[in-house]
Amino acid sequence: MELLYGPIKDYAWGSRCAIAELQGRPVPSEGPEAELWLGAHPGAPATVDRAGDRVALTEVLAADPAEWLGQRVVDRFGARLPFLLKVLAAAAPLSLQAHPDAEQARAGYARDDAGCDGHRNYVDPFHKPELLVALGPMEALCGFRDPAISAEVLAGFGVPELGPVLDALGAGPAGLAEAVRLLLTWPAAERAGLVAAVRTAAVAGPDAELVALLAEAYPADPGVVVALLLNRVRLAPGEAIWMPAGNLHAYLRGTGVEVMAASDNVLRGGLTRKHVDVAELLRVLRFEVLDQPVVAPQPVADGMVTWPIPVPDFALHRVTVKQQRPEVTLTVPGPWVVLCTSGRVDVADVAASVTLVSGRAAVGAAAGKSLTVSGVGEVYVASPGLC
């Protein structure tokens, strides 16, 4: 094992407290701190120490992929780390977004690479399923709720312009695609009026609070209304949401540990000042009702839990060590990226041991065989999901 140093993304929606507090730095930070990246994605690779210099993890892996990644990972994913671990800290809502599946990502990257316009929807040829585990109370929009519930909410606003949307929702799940299409392609000159009418009519309850939150930042964005078609999820610490390909979602506020396939492909439909491509988003969305978006932690062993997910790119474990149980050993194959979220722990493989405190991270090669955590504290361990 060796220490890993991750860059922090300063997106505007980021918190000025959460990541700084996690790492024991002064609060508030000088600017927004949205995501701490702990991986080898070329967009923002973490670094390790080499002879007094910081070297990108991408370079280290490329120099000896078999040693670092293991032959199974190389055979399945090529000479790259297939996952990316992050800390996400949202002080304001993120965009309405979804991610492509593997086939869509490959085709989209090849198409974008040919050069259609000045913006790339697909920055790499990989899919991006995600799992986010709350570190504290967290809120998100995740997946479509029952269209009958959404129709009842929208009808209660008494906004005549929403009539076609209500008609589409009346068809049940089969009408979701049309309802979303109508809203996201709403005539530009009429968008501010629609959002204002909905905001005025929504006077009480959670849906009204959500409309006010989003409309304050985006007063002419029909994504404010699309948000009402989604499940609003409130996560307690340790609970997670699983976001497979094609799942429309948006984080609202809070801090969590996020692990995903190593990709940065994001298709946005609204609630953002970044590039929006409604046509491409509609093409990749899965218009299915997501009845249960929350994933509870499942015990694996004494002091260790995981969140089962159906992809081979990554797995996530949380290990808790304390005085009554000062050591836990993981036998899941590496490579590993380890993030400490509380306490002081030693993390060791057969090669070396490092000491971590809150907000610090380490990386270990697949050749390290197994991973032992000791001390008093809590860590999250990301690894390949191959059995």
Side-chain angles (χ1 to χ4, degrees):
M1 300 298 298
E2 56 185 298
L3 294 174
L4 185 69
Y5 305 91
I8 296 176
K9 296 285 193 174
D10 61 352
Y11 306 136
W13 48 262
S15 169
R16 295 185 64 192
C17 299
I19 295 177
E21 286 179 345
L22 182 69
Q23 295 186 329
R25 293 185 282 108
V27 172
S29 57
E30 292 184 1
E33 296 181 337
E35 295 179 346
L36 170 65
W37 283 36
L38 298 167
H41 190 280
T47 59
V48 295
D49 286 325
R50 288 290 183 274
D53 292 326
R54 294 280 177 86
V55 177
L57 186 58
T58 46
E59 297 181 26
V60 175
L61 300 182
D64 196 347
E67 173 82 5
W68 269 91
L69 300 172
Q71 198 59 50
R72 292 192 318 151
V73 169
V74 172
D75 290 345
R76 176 65 177 80
F77 300 104
R80 65 184 187 94
L81 190 67
F83 61 85
L84 173 61
L85 186 68
K86 295 182 181 180
V87 176
L88 183 145
L94 279 68
S95 59
L96 279 173
Q97 60 186 264
H99 310 296
D101 63 26
E103 182 177 347
Q104 291 165 340
R106 286 191 296 269
Y109 183 71
R111 185 171 62 249
D112 275 6
D113 202 36
C116 302
D117 56 35
H119 180 87
R120 295 181 67 107
N121 283 319
Y122 298 90
V123 297
D124 56 60
F126 307 114
H127 68 164
K128 192 189 177 188
E130 301 175 344
L131 177 78
L132 181 133
V133 180
L135 287 177
M138 191 162 191
E139 296 182 55
L141 303 172
C142 184
F144 292 107
R145 63 181 176 180
D146 185 337
I149 296 174
S150 300
E152 183 179 356
V153 169
L154 295 187
F157 296 154
V159 176
E161 292 88 344
L162 289 175
V165 178
L166 292 173
D167 290 341
L169 293 174
L176 273 173
E178 177 62 7
V180 174
R181 186 195 67 79
L182 285 168
L183 289 169
L184 291 184
T185 59
W186 206 266
E190 302 172 16
R191 292 182 173 189
L194 173 68
V195 175
V198 170
R199 186 175 186 179
T200 300
V203 294
D207 291 306
E209 189 266 338
L210 177 61
V211 168
L213 173 70
L214 299 178
E216 183 69 26
Y218 303 103
D221 192 325
V224 172
V225 187
V226 175
L228 298 172
L229 309 184
L230 304 178
N231 294 296
R232 187 173 182 180
V233 177
R234 292 174 173 84
L235 297 175
E239 291 184 323
I241 46 178
W242 161 241
M243 288 155 284
N247 178 72
L248 189 61
H249 62 279
Y251 301 120
L252 298 177
R253 50 196 164 200
T255 304
V257 172
E258 188 178 30
V259 63
M260 62 195 67
S263 170
D264 203 23
N265 285 323
V266 181
L267 298 167
R268 300 177 181 89
L271 305 182
T272 183
R273 292 171 179 81
K274 295 182 178 181
H275 178 78
V276 169
D277 190 330
V278 171
E280 188 64 13
L281 176 67
L282 292 173
R283 197 178 70 82
V284 305
L285 280 182
R286 300 171 74 172
F287 294 100
E288 305 166 348
V289 174
L290 184 61
D291 291 321
Q292 181 49 270
V294 178
V295 181
Q298 300 296 312
V300 175
D302 193 20
M304 181 164 43
V305 301
T306 191
W307 295 264
I309 42 126
V311 296
D313 306 69
F314 59 85
L316 185 68
H317 292 79
R318 186 184 67 211
V319 177
T320 305
V321 286
K322 48 190 178 182
Q323 290 179 345
Q324 300 91 332
R325 186 183 53 245
E327 183 174 289
V328 173
T329 297
L330 290 81
T331 57
V332 294
W336 310 280
V337 173
V338 183
L339 169 70
C340 180
T341 52
S342 66
R344 182 183 181 89
V345 300
D346 293 322
V347 182
D349 58 15
V350 299
S353 174
V354 297
T355 299
L356 299 179
V357 294
S358 180
R360 305 304 168 182
V363 63
K369 304 299 181 185
S370 65
L371 191 67
T372 299
V373 181
S374 58
V376 176
E378 180 180 86
V379 299
Y380 284 79
V381 182
S383 63
L386 296 169
C387 298

Tab-separated table of all heavy atoms in Angstrom, residues 220-265:
chain	number	residue	atom	x	y	z
A	220	ALA	N	-36.185	29.446	-15.547
A	220	ALA	CA	-36.720	29.240	-16.896
A	220	ALA	C	-36.330	27.867	-17.435
A	220	ALA	O	-36.184	27.696	-18.644
A	220	ALA	CB	-36.233	30.340	-17.837
A	221	ASP	N	-36.213	26.894	-16.552
A	221	ASP	CA	-35.772	25.559	-16.951
A	221	ASP	C	-36.895	24.549	-16.697
A	221	ASP	O	-37.280	24.313	-15.547
A	221	ASP	CB	-34.532	25.160	-16.146
A	221	ASP	CG	-33.833	23.927	-16.699
A	221	ASP	OD1	-34.534	23.021	-17.209
A	221	ASP	OD2	-32.595	23.858	-16.625
A	222	PRO	N	-37.432	23.926	-17.751
A	222	PRO	CA	-38.508	22.943	-17.549
A	222	PRO	C	-38.051	21.703	-16.798
A	222	PRO	O	-38.876	20.887	-16.385
A	222	PRO	CB	-38.949	22.600	-18.970
A	222	PRO	CG	-37.767	22.928	-19.834
A	222	PRO	CD	-37.100	24.094	-19.173
A	223	GLY	N	-36.739	21.559	-16.575
A	223	GLY	CA	-36.259	20.488	-15.721
A	223	GLY	C	-36.835	20.574	-14.318
A	223	GLY	O	-36.896	19.575	-13.602
A	224	VAL	N	-37.256	21.772	-13.899
A	224	VAL	CA	-37.922	21.929	-12.603
A	224	VAL	C	-39.153	21.047	-12.529
A	224	VAL	O	-39.445	20.444	-11.487
A	224	VAL	CB	-38.295	23.410	-12.375
A	224	VAL	CG1	-39.159	23.567	-11.130
A	224	VAL	CG2	-37.036	24.271	-12.283
A	225	VAL	N	-39.885	20.948	-13.632
A	225	VAL	CA	-41.089	20.119	-13.663
A	225	VAL	C	-40.726	18.652	-13.868
A	225	VAL	O	-41.332	17.763	-13.258
A	225	VAL	CB	-42.056	20.608	-14.767
A	225	VAL	CG1	-43.379	19.844	-14.692
A	225	VAL	CG2	-42.306	22.099	-14.636
A	226	VAL	N	-39.720	18.375	-14.687
A	226	VAL	CA	-39.279	16.990	-14.875
A	226	VAL	C	-38.874	16.379	-13.538
A	226	VAL	O	-39.108	15.192	-13.286
A	226	VAL	CB	-38.095	16.928	-15.881
A	226	VAL	CG1	-37.558	15.497	-15.993
A	226	VAL	CG2	-38.541	17.423	-17.247
A	227	ALA	N	-38.284	17.184	-12.654
A	227	ALA	CA	-37.871	16.685	-11.342
A	227	ALA	C	-39.042	16.080	-10.576
A	227	ALA	O	-38.861	15.158	-9.760
A	227	ALA	CB	-37.236	17.806	-10.533
A	228	LEU	N	-40.240	16.560	-10.835
A	228	LEU	CA	-41.420	16.050	-10.132
A	228	LEU	C	-41.854	14.675	-10.629
A	228	LEU	O	-42.745	14.057	-10.036
A	228	LEU	CB	-42.573	17.044	-10.278
A	228	LEU	CG	-42.301	18.431	-9.677
A	228	LEU	CD1	-43.422	19.391	-10.034
A	228	LEU	CD2	-42.134	18.329	-8.174
A	229	LEU	N	-41.238	14.185	-11.685
A	229	LEU	CA	-41.532	12.846	-12.188
A	229	LEU	C	-40.625	11.793	-11.553
A	229	LEU	O	-40.793	10.596	-11.807
A	229	LEU	CB	-41.368	12.793	-13.708
A	229	LEU	CG	-42.081	13.866	-14.539
A	229	LEU	CD1	-41.877	13.597	-16.020
A	229	LEU	CD2	-43.553	13.955	-14.196
A	230	LEU	N	-39.665	12.229	-10.731
A	230	LEU	CA	-38.646	11.337	-10.184
A	230	LEU	C	-38.897	11.049	-8.702
A	230	LEU	O	-39.581	11.799	-8.006
A	230	LEU	CB	-37.260	11.957	-10.357
A	230	LEU	CG	-36.859	12.341	-11.779
A	230	LEU	CD1	-35.480	12.996	-11.774
A	230	LEU	CD2	-36.881	11.148	-12.708
A	231	ASN	N	-38.305	9.952	-8.239
A	231	ASN	CA	-38.310	9.647	-6.820
A	231	ASN	C	-37.417	10.631	-6.081
A	231	ASN	O	-36.256	10.810	-6.445
A	231	ASN	CB	-37.764	8.231	-6.560
A	231	ASN	CG	-38.650	7.145	-7.124
A	231	ASN	OD1	-39.780	6.973	-6.711
A	231	ASN	ND2	-38.120	6.411	-8.100
A	232	ARG	N	-37.957	11.239	-5.021
A	232	ARG	CA	-37.111	12.051	-4.154
A	232	ARG	C	-36.659	11.175	-3.000
A	232	ARG	O	-37.478	10.668	-2.229
A	232	ARG	CB	-37.844	13.280	-3.636
A	232	ARG	CG	-36.911	14.220	-2.874
A	232	ARG	CD	-37.579	15.513	-2.513
A	232	ARG	NE	-36.664	16.416	-1.833
A	232	ARG	CZ	-36.995	17.630	-1.403
A	232	ARG	NH1	-38.233	18.077	-1.618
A	232	ARG	NH2	-36.108	18.383	-0.781
A	233	VAL	N	-35.358	10.988	-2.895
A	233	VAL	CA	-34.790	10.032	-1.953
A	233	VAL	C	-34.043	10.782	-0.858
A	233	VAL	O	-33.242	11.672	-1.143
A	233	VAL	CB	-33.811	9.073	-2.678
A	233	VAL	CG1	-33.158	8.116	-1.706
A	233	VAL	CG2	-34.540	8.313	-3.772
A	234	ARG	N	-34.314	10.406	0.379
A	234	ARG	CA	-33.576	10.943	1.528
A	234	ARG	C	-32.783	9.802	2.146
A	234	ARG	O	-33.365	8.857	2.681
A	234	ARG	CB	-34.537	11.575	2.525
A	234	ARG	CG	-35.207	12.850	2.008
A	234	ARG	CD	-36.262	13.365	2.986
A	234	ARG	NE	-36.782	14.657	2.576
A	234	ARG	CZ	-37.769	14.831	1.696
A	234	ARG	NH1	-38.328	13.765	1.135
A	234	ARG	NH2	-38.205	16.046	1.372
A	235	LEU	N	-31.482	9.904	2.054
A	235	LEU	CA	-30.607	8.840	2.526
A	235	LEU	C	-30.109	9.138	3.932
A	235	LEU	O	-29.691	10.262	4.235
A	235	LEU	CB	-29.404	8.682	1.606
A	235	LEU	CG	-29.659	8.271	0.159
A	235	LEU	CD1	-28.355	8.279	-0.621
A	235	LEU	CD2	-30.306	6.907	0.088
A	236	ALA	N	-30.139	8.109	4.773
A	236	ALA	CA	-29.464	8.170	6.062
A	236	ALA	C	-28.033	7.708	5.864
A	236	ALA	O	-27.716	7.021	4.877
A	236	ALA	CB	-30.181	7.276	7.073
A	237	PRO	N	-27.113	8.070	6.767
A	237	PRO	CA	-25.727	7.612	6.624
A	237	PRO	C	-25.651	6.099	6.469
A	237	PRO	O	-26.282	5.349	7.214
A	237	PRO	CB	-25.077	8.069	7.935
A	237	PRO	CG	-25.872	9.263	8.349
A	237	PRO	CD	-27.284	8.960	7.938
A	238	GLY	N	-24.900	5.659	5.464
A	238	GLY	CA	-24.757	4.232	5.190
A	238	GLY	C	-25.716	3.708	4.143
A	238	GLY	O	-25.468	2.647	3.566
A	239	GLU	N	-26.809	4.416	3.885
A	239	GLU	CA	-27.707	4.010	2.803
A	239	GLU	C	-27.149	4.494	1.468
A	239	GLU	O	-26.397	5.473	1.408
A	239	GLU	CB	-29.109	4.568	3.014
A	239	GLU	CG	-29.841	3.956	4.187
A	239	GLU	CD	-31.256	4.468	4.318
A	239	GLU	OE1	-31.489	5.669	4.051
A	239	GLU	OE2	-32.140	3.674	4.696
A	240	ALA	N	-27.535	3.796	0.392
A	240	ALA	CA	-26.954	4.095	-0.923
A	240	ALA	C	-28.040	4.168	-1.979
A	240	ALA	O	-29.161	3.673	-1.795
A	240	ALA	CB	-25.932	3.021	-1.297
A	241	ILE	N	-27.697	4.794	-3.070
A	241	ILE	CA	-28.520	4.714	-4.278
A	241	ILE	C	-27.652	4.160	-5.405
A	241	ILE	O	-26.473	4.499	-5.539
A	241	ILE	CB	-29.141	6.064	-4.675
A	241	ILE	CG1	-28.129	7.204	-4.613
A	241	ILE	CG2	-30.358	6.363	-3.860
A	241	ILE	CD1	-28.698	8.534	-5.032
A	242	TRP	N	-28.262	3.279	-6.188
A	242	TRP	CA	-27.606	2.615	-7.317
A	242	TRP	C	-28.169	3.211	-8.592
A	242	TRP	O	-29.389	3.235	-8.796
A	242	TRP	CB	-27.854	1.116	-7.247
A	242	TRP	CG	-27.654	0.352	-8.521
A	242	TRP	CD1	-28.583	-0.378	-9.209
A	242	TRP	CD2	-26.425	0.212	-9.255
A	242	TRP	NE1	-28.024	-0.951	-10.326
A	242	TRP	CE2	-26.697	-0.603	-10.380
A	242	TRP	CE3	-25.138	0.698	-9.069
A	242	TRP	CZ2	-25.720	-0.946	-11.317
A	242	TRP	CZ3	-24.160	0.367	-10.005
A	242	TRP	CH2	-24.462	-0.457	-11.101
A	243	MET	N	-27.295	3.703	-9.456
A	243	MET	CA	-27.710	4.370	-10.675
A	243	MET	C	-27.146	3.647	-11.889
A	243	MET	O	-26.015	3.912	-12.320
A	243	MET	CB	-27.274	5.831	-10.644
A	243	MET	CG	-28.098	6.653	-9.672
A	243	MET	SD	-27.256	8.128	-9.057
A	243	MET	CE	-26.134	7.392	-7.870
A	244	PRO	N	-27.923	2.703	-12.438
A	244	PRO	CA	-27.461	2.010	-13.643
A	244	PRO	C	-27.590	2.907	-14.865
A	244	PRO	O	-28.099	4.035	-14.789
A	244	PRO	CB	-28.419	0.815	-13.726
A	244	PRO	CG	-29.676	1.311	-13.084
A	244	PRO	CD	-29.241	2.248	-11.987
A	245	ALA	N	-27.146	2.402	-15.991
A	245	ALA	CA	-27.217	3.166	-17.238
A	245	ALA	C	-28.659	3.557	-17.532
A	245	ALA	O	-29.598	2.793	-17.297
A	245	ALA	CB	-26.656	2.326	-18.384
A	246	GLY	N	-28.817	4.780	-18.063
A	246	GLY	CA	-30.133	5.234	-18.491
A	246	GLY	C	-31.029	5.722	-17.383
A	246	GLY	O	-32.188	6.055	-17.635
A	247	ASN	N	-30.528	5.786	-16.148
A	247	ASN	CA	-31.331	6.195	-14.999
A	247	ASN	C	-31.232	7.711	-14.824
A	247	ASN	O	-30.158	8.235	-14.560
A	247	ASN	CB	-30.819	5.480	-13.746
A	247	ASN	CG	-31.577	5.879	-12.502
A	247	ASN	OD1	-32.719	5.516	-12.318
A	247	ASN	ND2	-30.907	6.635	-11.651
A	248	LEU	N	-32.363	8.425	-14.965
A	248	LEU	CA	-32.359	9.874	-14.807
A	248	LEU	C	-32.239	10.211	-13.320
A	248	LEU	O	-32.981	9.688	-12.486
A	248	LEU	CB	-33.637	10.478	-15.384
A	248	LEU	CG	-33.681	12.005	-15.490
A	248	LEU	CD1	-32.573	12.526	-16.407
A	248	LEU	CD2	-35.045	12.475	-15.987
A	249	HIS	N	-31.300	11.093	-12.978
A	249	HIS	CA	-31.078	11.384	-11.568
A	249	HIS	C	-30.451	12.763	-11.407
A	249	HIS	O	-29.966	13.372	-12.371
A	249	HIS	CB	-30.172	10.331	-10.917
A	249	HIS	CG	-28.792	10.254	-11.497
A	249	HIS	ND1	-28.501	9.573	-12.668
A	249	HIS	CD2	-27.606	10.785	-11.078
A	249	HIS	CE1	-27.220	9.685	-12.933
A	249	HIS	NE2	-26.640	10.408	-11.984
A	250	ALA	N	-30.455	13.229	-10.167
A	250	ALA	CA	-29.791	14.481	-9.799
A	250	ALA	C	-29.602	14.488	-8.295
A	250	ALA	O	-30.530	14.192	-7.543
A	250	ALA	CB	-30.621	15.689	-10.227
A	251	TYR	N	-28.403	14.813	-7.850
A	251	TYR	CA	-28.172	15.004	-6.423
A	251	TYR	C	-28.662	16.394	-6.031
A	251	TYR	O	-28.443	17.366	-6.766
A	251	TYR	CB	-26.687	14.872	-6.091
A	251	TYR	CG	-26.092	13.539	-6.461
A	251	TYR	CD1	-25.029	13.450	-7.365
A	251	TYR	CD2	-26.595	12.352	-5.929
A	251	TYR	CE1	-24.482	12.227	-7.708
A	251	TYR	CE2	-26.052	11.127	-6.271
A	251	TYR	CZ	-24.999	11.072	-7.155
A	251	TYR	OH	-24.468	9.859	-7.507
A	252	LEU	N	-29.285	16.497	-4.874
A	252	LEU	CA	-29.796	17.782	-4.405
A	252	LEU	C	-28.872	18.429	-3.383
A	252	LEU	O	-28.529	19.598	-3.491
A	252	LEU	CB	-31.197	17.611	-3.817
A	252	LEU	CG	-32.268	17.107	-4.797
A	252	LEU	CD1	-33.592	16.909	-4.083
A	252	LEU	CD2	-32.426	18.075	-5.969
A	253	ARG	N	-28.466	17.667	-2.371
A	253	ARG	CA	-27.559	18.202	-1.353
A	253	ARG	C	-27.079	17.067	-0.473
A	253	ARG	O	-27.770	16.064	-0.298
A	253	ARG	CB	-28.234	19.293	-0.511
A	253	ARG	CG	-29.584	18.918	0.061
A	253	ARG	CD	-30.330	20.152	0.521
A	253	ARG	NE	-31.745	19.891	0.720
A	253	ARG	CZ	-32.689	20.817	0.739
A	253	ARG	NH1	-32.358	22.089	0.564
A	253	ARG	NH2	-33.952	20.504	0.928
A	254	GLY	N	-25.886	17.267	0.093
A	254	GLY	CA	-25.326	16.276	0.987
A	254	GLY	C	-23.978	15.773	0.502
A	254	GLY	O	-23.480	16.153	-0.568
A	255	THR	N	-23.379	14.886	1.306
A	255	THR	CA	-22.038	14.364	1.039
A	255	THR	C	-22.055	12.848	1.058
A	255	THR	O	-22.683	12.238	1.930
A	255	THR	CB	-21.041	14.875	2.103
A	255	THR	OG1	-21.087	16.300	2.132
A	255	THR	CG2	-19.628	14.418	1.801
A	256	GLY	N	-21.365	12.254	0.100
A	256	GLY	CA	-21.327	10.797	0.035
A	256	GLY	C	-20.053	10.296	-0.608
A	256	GLY	O	-19.302	11.055	-1.245
A	257	VAL	N	-19.813	9.013	-0.416
A	257	VAL	CA	-18.735	8.301	-1.106
A	257	VAL	C	-19.342	7.672	-2.347
A	257	VAL	O	-20.335	6.941	-2.255
A	257	VAL	CB	-18.111	7.228	-0.207
A	257	VAL	CG1	-17.120	6.369	-0.997
A	257	VAL	CG2	-17.409	7.870	0.987
A	258	GLU	N	-18.767	7.963	-3.497
A	258	GLU	CA	-19.309	7.502	-4.772
A	258	GLU	C	-18.262	6.656	-5.479
A	258	GLU	O	-17.092	7.025	-5.547
A	258	GLU	CB	-19.687	8.708	-5.635
A	258	GLU	CG	-20.441	8.363	-6.902
A	258	GLU	CD	-20.819	9.602	-7.687
A	258	GLU	OE1	-20.088	10.610	-7.624
A	258	GLU	OE2	-21.842	9.555	-8.378
A	259	VAL	N	-18.701	5.507	-5.993
A	259	VAL	CA	-17.822	4.675	-6.800
A	259	VAL	C	-18.538	4.381	-8.108
A	259	VAL	O	-19.761	4.201	-8.137
A	259	VAL	CB	-17.425	3.373	-6.057
A	259	VAL	CG1	-18.632	2.498	-5.765
A	259	VAL	CG2	-16.373	2.603	-6.840
A	260	MET	N	-17.779	4.363	-9.185
A	260	MET	CA	-18.372	4.235	-10.513
A	260	MET	C	-17.377	3.567	-11.449
A	260	MET	O	-16.187	3.460	-11.141
A	260	MET	CB	-18.705	5.625	-11.065
A	260	MET	CG	-17.490	6.511	-11.245
A	260	MET	SD	-17.903	8.244	-11.470
A	260	MET	CE	-18.576	8.598	-9.855
A	261	ALA	N	-17.900	3.119	-12.585
A	261	ALA	CA	-16.993	2.711	-13.650
A	261	ALA	C	-16.183	3.926	-14.082
A	261	ALA	O	-16.671	5.064	-14.048
A	261	ALA	CB	-17.775	2.135	-14.823
A	262	ALA	N	-14.939	3.729	-14.475
A	262	ALA	CA	-14.022	4.839	-14.749
A	262	ALA	C	-14.366	5.505	-16.071
A	262	ALA	O	-13.771	5.226	-17.118
A	262	ALA	CB	-12.578	4.343	-14.762
A	263	SER	N	-15.342	6.386	-16.011
A	263	SER	CA	-15.805	7.114	-17.183
A	263	SER	C	-16.255	8.495	-16.740
A	263	SER	O	-16.564	8.710	-15.562
A	263	SER	CB	-16.972	6.369	-17.843
A	263	SER	OG	-17.586	7.176	-18.841
A	264	ASP	N	-16.303	9.422	-17.675
A	264	ASP	CA	-16.837	10.753	-17.382
A	264	ASP	C	-17.908	11.126	-18.401
A	264	ASP	O	-18.091	12.295	-18.731
A	264	ASP	CB	-15.710	11.792	-17.381
A	264	ASP	CG	-16.067	13.035	-16.563
A	264	ASP	OD1	-16.936	12.934	-15.682
A	264	ASP	OD2	-15.479	14.104	-16.797
A	265	ASN	N	-18.640	10.123	-18.888
A	265	ASN	CA	-19.711	10.363	-19.845
A	265	ASN	C	-20.986	10.768	-19.110
A	265	ASN	O	-21.567	9.979	-18.362
A	265	ASN	CB	-19.982	9.104	-20.668
A	265	ASN	CG	-18.918	8.868	-21.715
A	265	ASN	OD1	-18.413	9.817	-22.312
A	265	ASN	ND2	-18.575	7.606	-21.959
